[in-house]
């Protein structure tokens, strides 16, 4: 069975590095990048099933990254990461086509649960 | 606390600093949370008869220590900042106060892809006045510069003194002009008036300078 391909996008380098490590430990094919522009460049050359994107990032924020990724990869499932009391941003992301959002710090089981749910929904569609 | 009540602008400034800093602290906690999770993954690995190497554990310890130190620095800065609102008038070291505030503003600047380079011309500059109001001036000036159309990614902040005043200069990003929108300067000019200071663009618009008297700078009375 093919591994689920996940792109992690966050400007917090250490967080990206560990999330990638932990997802790989769980059998996912995970890749990390440190910003929206890098995420778009990566998505143009590599296929992903799910992107996990932090909302608060320099240059282009998570919502704008979502919009641009959806334009070039409409089938890509996107899960947003927001800070505390930032549910509005999560809701805005949902309106823009995100599958769901999680509030940082995230529990890895919650994250993998969302990733799997996003793809299960795709398989049903 | 002998500061009196804050007005809306002062509260907004306090809130912006606090929101930015707590967001950064949340990132520190998020990383620590993931490191703890990674340790849990390793323990699970031991259960499945794989071994954890001393190098892996050393890396975990290093990652934790780094984040703890980062968190401590942020908390120390925020604490120092909060205490500058304790008294209406103080004798204080302007360099130390602005160095601390620059540290607190790093994330805000980073969100604009700008790095703050704090380079005072003096080691310390003791002045008498209201450190909270002066930080509000600094913050509004920084926002003006960050919102300008300057190219580049390094903003130099310099502090120097002449016979009567202390000067805080924000130098053009990579030597470029600071294209400040004049209609946006009213708020800062009003606050500068409160501290009997002035705002000017110098060096062919390559620097924005805040000048305040070395003494008798009382700031806005409590409301």
């Amino acid at each position: 069975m093919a591994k689920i391909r996940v792109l992690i996008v966050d400007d917090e380098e250490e967080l990206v590095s560990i999330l990638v490590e932990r997802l790989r430990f769980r059998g996912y094919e995970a890749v990390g990048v440190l910003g929206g522009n890098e995420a778009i460049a990566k998505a143009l050359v590599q296929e992903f099933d799910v992107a996990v994107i932090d909302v608060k990032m320099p240059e282009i924020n998570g919502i704008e990254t979502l919009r641009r990724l959806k334009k070039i990869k409409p089938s890509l499932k996107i899960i947003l990461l927001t800070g505390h009391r930032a549910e509005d941003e999560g809701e805005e992301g949902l309106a823009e086509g995100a599958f769901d959002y999680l509030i940082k710090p995230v529990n890895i089981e919650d994250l993998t649960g969302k990733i799997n749910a996003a793809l299960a929904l795709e398989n049903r569609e | 606390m002998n500061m009196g009540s804050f007005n809306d602008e002062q509260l907004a400034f306090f809130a912006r600093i606090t929101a930015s800093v707590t967001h950064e602290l949340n990132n520190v906690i998020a990383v620590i949370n993931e490191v703890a999770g990674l340790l849990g993954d390793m323990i699970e690995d031991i259960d499945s008869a794989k071994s954890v190497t001393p190098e892996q554990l050393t890396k975990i310890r290093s990652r934790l220590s780094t984040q703890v130190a980062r968190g401590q620095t942020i908390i120390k800065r925020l604490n120092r900042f909060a205490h500058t609102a304790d008294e209406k008038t103080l004798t204080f070291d302007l360099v130390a106060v602005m160095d601390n505030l620059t540290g607190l503003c790093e994330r805000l600047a980073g969100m604009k892809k700008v790095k703050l380079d704090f380079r005072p011309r003096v080691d310390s500059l003791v002045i008498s006045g209201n450190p909270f109001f002066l930080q509000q001036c600094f913050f509004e000036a920084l926002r003006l510069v960050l919102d300008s159309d300057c190219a580049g990614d390094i903003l130099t902040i310099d502090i120097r003194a002449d016979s009567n005043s202390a000067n805080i200069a924000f130098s053009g990003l990579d030597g470029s002009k600071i294209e400040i929108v004049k209609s946006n300067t009213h708020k800062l000019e009003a606050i500068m008036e409160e501290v009997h200071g002035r705002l000017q663009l110098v060096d062919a618009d390559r620097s924005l300078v805040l000048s305040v008297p070395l003494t008798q700078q009382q700031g806005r009375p409590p409301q």
Side-chain angles (χ1 to χ4, degrees):
Chain A
M1 188 177 147
K3 287 183 174 180
I4 296 172
R5 299 160 299 181
V6 182
L7 177 64
I8 304 288
V9 190
D10 196 317
D11 61 315
E12 187 70 41
E13 191 171 1
E14 188 72 338
L15 193 64
V16 169
S17 160
I18 301 173
L19 270 177
V20 164
E21 201 172 329
R22 298 193 71 200
L23 286 172
R24 286 178 182 166
F25 178 81
R26 285 162 174 75
Y28 296 85
E29 191 180 304
V31 171
V33 294
L34 300 177
N37 285 329
E38 217 181 316
I40 291 155
K42 197 68 163 175
L44 286 171
V45 296
Q46 195 172 337
E47 290 298 322
F48 293 97
D49 301 301
V50 179
V52 178
I53 307 173
D54 185 33
V55 171
K56 283 246 185 316
M57 293 188 297
E59 283 185 312
I60 56 171
N61 66 28
I63 303 288
E64 186 56 31
T65 304
L66 178 162
R67 284 191 197 111
R68 295 189 195 181
L69 280 174
K70 277 287 183 186
K71 267 189 194 164
I72 56 171
K73 299 283 175 183
S75 65
L76 181 68
K77 301 295 173 192
I78 293 177
I79 297 166
L80 294 173
L81 301 180
T82 73
H84 283 297
R85 302 190 60 81
E87 288 86 350
D88 288 356
E89 292 167 341
E91 295 298 326
E92 187 186 352
L94 292 181
E96 293 286 342
F99 170 73
D100 210 341
Y101 66 92
L102 288 167
I103 295 170
K104 278 182 167 180
V106 297
N107 178 307
I108 192 78
E109 309 307 340
D110 290 342
L111 179 59
T112 54
K114 292 281 185 211
I115 292 170
N116 296 341
L119 294 175
L121 178 72
E122 183 183 53
N123 291 337
R124 281 203 301 272
E125 281 170 352
Chain B
M1 171 103 52
N2 188 27
M3 183 77 168
S5 302
F6 286 138
N7 65 27
D8 288 349
E9 296 291 346
Q10 291 155 355
L11 270 178
F13 161 55
F14 207 95
R16 282 201 62 143
I17 292 289
T18 309
S20 169
V21 170
T22 51
H23 185 89
E24 197 176 351
L25 270 177
N26 196 43
N27 272 345
V28 171
I29 289 167
V31 174
I32 290 173
N33 179 58
E34 289 307 321
V35 175
L38 190 60
L39 195 56
D41 292 349
M42 287 177 179
I43 291 166
E44 213 171 289
D45 245 3
I46 295 172
D47 291 345
S48 62
K50 286 183 191 168
S51 62
V52 175
T53 65
E55 289 75 23
Q56 283 176 306
L57 291 174
T58 302
K59 195 174 174 188
I60 291 274
R61 188 184 65 179
S62 166
R63 281 173 148 166
L64 284 174
S65 300
T66 301
Q67 294 306 317
V68 168
R70 181 181 167 200
Q72 281 176 327
T73 300
I74 296 167
I75 289 167
K76 207 180 284 180
R77 282 175 175 159
L78 186 60
N79 185 266
R80 282 186 193 139
F81 170 70
H83 281 297
T84 60
D86 284 353
E87 299 290 338
K88 189 178 153 206
T89 306
L90 284 174
T91 297
F92 63 97
D93 180 2
L94 182 70
V95 173
V97 167
M98 295 309 170
D99 186 16
N100 192 61
L101 184 61
T102 301
L104 289 173
C105 292
E106 274 169 5
R107 182 177 167 78
L108 286 169
M111 293 303 287
K112 301 260 184 184
K113 297 292 277 181
V114 172
K115 190 172 162 43
L116 302 180
D117 183 17
F118 187 71
R119 285 194 191 187
R121 303 278 176 97
V122 288
D123 290 337
S124 72
L125 179 56
V126 176
I127 68 170
S128 173
N130 187 314
F132 184 80
F133 295 149
L134 276 181
Q135 288 174 103
Q136 192 187 0
C137 298
F138 177 104
F139 183 73
E140 292 302 333
L142 179 63
R143 284 180 67 190
L144 271 179
V145 175
L146 292 177
D147 287 343
S148 69
D149 291 330
C150 303
D153 61 0
I154 295 177
L155 175 62
T156 302
I157 299 161
D158 154 31
I159 296 182
R160 64 186 90 169
D162 56 34
S163 53
N164 300 313
S165 61
N167 304 300
I168 304 168
F170 298 82
S171 296
L173 306 172
D174 287 351
S176 57
K177 280 190 177 185
I178 298 177
E179 305 283 352
I180 286 175
V181 181
K182 299 287 182 192
S183 57
N184 291 345
T185 61
H186 297 309
K187 190 159 127 189
L188 178 56
E189 281 166 346
I191 306 169
M192 288 303 291
E193 263 181 45
E194 301 284 353
V195 296
H196 309 293
R198 65 196 170 105
L199 158 74
Q200 52 188 330
L201 274 165
V202 299
D203 191 20
D205 286 1
R206 286 184 173 82
S207 291
L208 175 72
V209 180
L210 307 179
S211 300
V212 290
L214 291 171
T215 57
Q216 305 295 310
Q217 173 261 312
Q218 297 293 325
R220 186 184 316 203
Q223 297 177 353

